[in-house]
Amino acid sequence: MFRTDLNKLPDAAEVLRAAGLRITAPRRAILEELAHDKTHPTAVELYERLLPNHPGMAFATVYNTLNALSRAGYVSPLTLGGATRFDPITEPHDHLVCRRCGSIEDLAPVASGEPAPASVGGFAIDRVERVFRGVCASCQREPDVDPSGTR
Amino acid sequence: MFRTDLNKLPDAAEVLRAAGLRITAPRRAILEELAHDKTHPTAVELYERLLPNHPGMAFATVYNTLNALSRAGYVSPLTLGGATRFDPITEPHDHLVCRRCGSIEDLAPVASGEPAPASVGGFAIDRVERVFRGVCASCQREPDVDPSGTR
DNA sequence: TTTTATGCAAATTTTTTGCATGTCA
DNA sequence: TGACATGCAAAAAATTTGCATAAAA
């Protein structure tokens, strides 16, 4: 899902084909919207963004498409608390989550010292997800709020 | 939340006191049930386990108590997909999640080579969560199912 | 023309809140 | 007492499914 040139966006049709899914207008729209979105939107958020330009599109279609793409490995679901978010980048990378504002940033394929173990006591590991939680630069500048730690 | 001797279970009352919460019978029961549970139960699961011995207990109480304890840092919420699960262990440790059966195993404070970065581009990191996904030993013995990758 | 997807609606599941009453400190 | 928690109920949010029609292969 990377791109080096605006004229060479990953072709939605190709992704769908590779995923073994039929190429339809709604799916292309969903995939393209997600590819341009850096905020790791939820299914509902994506749906709301698409609706204005795609009257009649059903939420179930967005939902089903995201799930199908996730299962096929062409989109990564992020479960960080709250509704499931979707990441168009499938290459392994970590995430920074701000506990104040909830913003999510991609963290470049961390120059991780240790390679993830491939197996632990018979458990075959094929994927590692890391979530770094803390406070983003922007929120650190804000005056302290709600010391109760709520949220 | 560790214990080296069964006679020295972490005292629920002490935990509640430390968390700044009032000590009540329902909360003690919730905390004790969770402390003994190795399955990382959801709020609903915990509630169902408690109900038989605590008639009249309200789900909202379980739910609110778990959230209060989470905010205070005496219980760790796990968002691995599906409903939020709760882990009585607050010491940092990783999790192994089987994509076949959904089982969750604690992974001893991994002898992680690199220490988690404390800061990345102004983002102050204070917590790292790692999820290792794969197939558990037990499921590897099962005949292959659903090659579509669903789930 | 056979299979799969869409739109629409409804059902589930999960999370959250309001409020009167009861309890802890 | 006064603040906080419980139980009960209902609401809100998020996820999932059924089905008739429409479109893709």
Side-chain angles (χ1 to χ4, degrees):
Chain A
M1 225 67 175
F2 286 150
R3 62 188 156 97
T4 52
D5 176 8
L6 275 175
N7 299 320
K8 290 188 180 176
L9 281 171
D11 186 17
E14 272 175 37
V15 172
L16 289 170
R17 199 173 350 259
L21 299 173
R22 287 191 176 172
I23 300 165
T24 68
R27 284 179 175 170
R28 296 170 88 127
I30 292 165
L31 217 31
E32 271 154 27
E33 182 67 33
L34 180 60
H36 286 92
D37 195 317
K38 304 291 183 192
T39 69
H40 308 83
T42 63
V44 171
E45 287 168 353
L46 256 186
Y47 172 61
E48 290 172 343
R49 265 165 231 173
L50 289 163
L51 204 47
N53 295 311
H54 303 270
M57 179 180 279
F59 170 71
T61 298
V62 175
Y63 170 84
N64 288 326
T65 296
L66 290 172
N67 272 0
L69 287 169
S70 292
R71 286 194 299 264
Y74 289 89
V75 145
S76 306
L78 299 179
T79 54
L80 308 170
T84 300
R85 295 181 167 282
F86 294 88
D87 192 332
I89 301 176
T90 55
E91 278 79 9
H93 65 287
D94 300 318
H95 291 96
L96 285 170
V97 180
C98 178
R99 68 160 46 72
R100 293 262 180 85
C101 66
S103 69
I104 302 167
E105 294 176 36
D106 286 320
L107 200 48
V110 174
S112 163
E114 48 149 352
S119 169
V120 174
F123 190 113
I125 296 169
D126 54 40
R127 172 163 194 171
V128 182
E129 295 165 17
R130 289 203 295 184
V131 179
F132 295 83
R133 294 184 190 272
V135 181
C136 73
S138 167
C139 285
Q140 286 176 54
R141 284 186 232 106
E142 301 285 318
D144 252 7
V145 190
D146 190 0
S148 76
T150 300
R151 190 193 165 74
Chain B
M1 225 65 179
F2 285 151
R3 62 189 156 95
T4 51
D5 178 6
L6 276 173
N7 299 320
K8 288 188 180 175
L9 282 170
D11 185 19
E14 272 174 38
V15 172
L16 290 170
R17 200 175 346 261
L21 300 173
R22 287 191 176 170
I23 300 164
T24 68
R27 286 179 172 170
R28 296 169 87 127
I30 293 166
L31 215 32
E32 272 155 25
E33 183 67 34
L34 180 60
H36 285 91
D37 195 317
K38 304 291 185 191
T39 70
H40 308 84
T42 63
V44 171
E45 288 168 351
L46 255 186
Y47 173 61
E48 290 172 342
R49 264 165 233 174
L50 289 162
L51 203 48
N53 295 309
H54 302 271
M57 178 180 280
F59 169 71
T61 299
V62 175
Y63 171 84
N64 288 326
T65 296
L66 289 172
N67 273 0
L69 287 169
S70 292
R71 286 195 299 265
Y74 290 89
V75 145
S76 305
L78 298 180
T79 55
L80 307 171
T84 301
R85 296 180 167 281
F86 294 88
D87 192 331
I89 303 176
T90 55
E91 278 78 10
H93 66 289
D94 301 317
H95 291 97
L96 285 170
V97 180
C98 178
R99 70 160 44 72
R100 294 262 180 85
C101 67
S103 69
I104 302 167
E105 295 177 34
D106 287 320
L107 201 48
V110 174
S112 162
E114 53 162 339
S119 169
V120 174
F123 191 113
I125 296 168
D126 54 40
R127 172 165 192 171
V128 183
E129 295 165 15
R130 289 204 294 184
V131 179
F132 294 83
R133 294 184 190 271
V135 181
C136 73
S138 166
C139 285
Q140 286 176 53
R141 284 185 233 106
E142 300 285 317
D144 252 8
V145 191
D146 190 0
S148 76
T150 300
R151 187 189 169 77

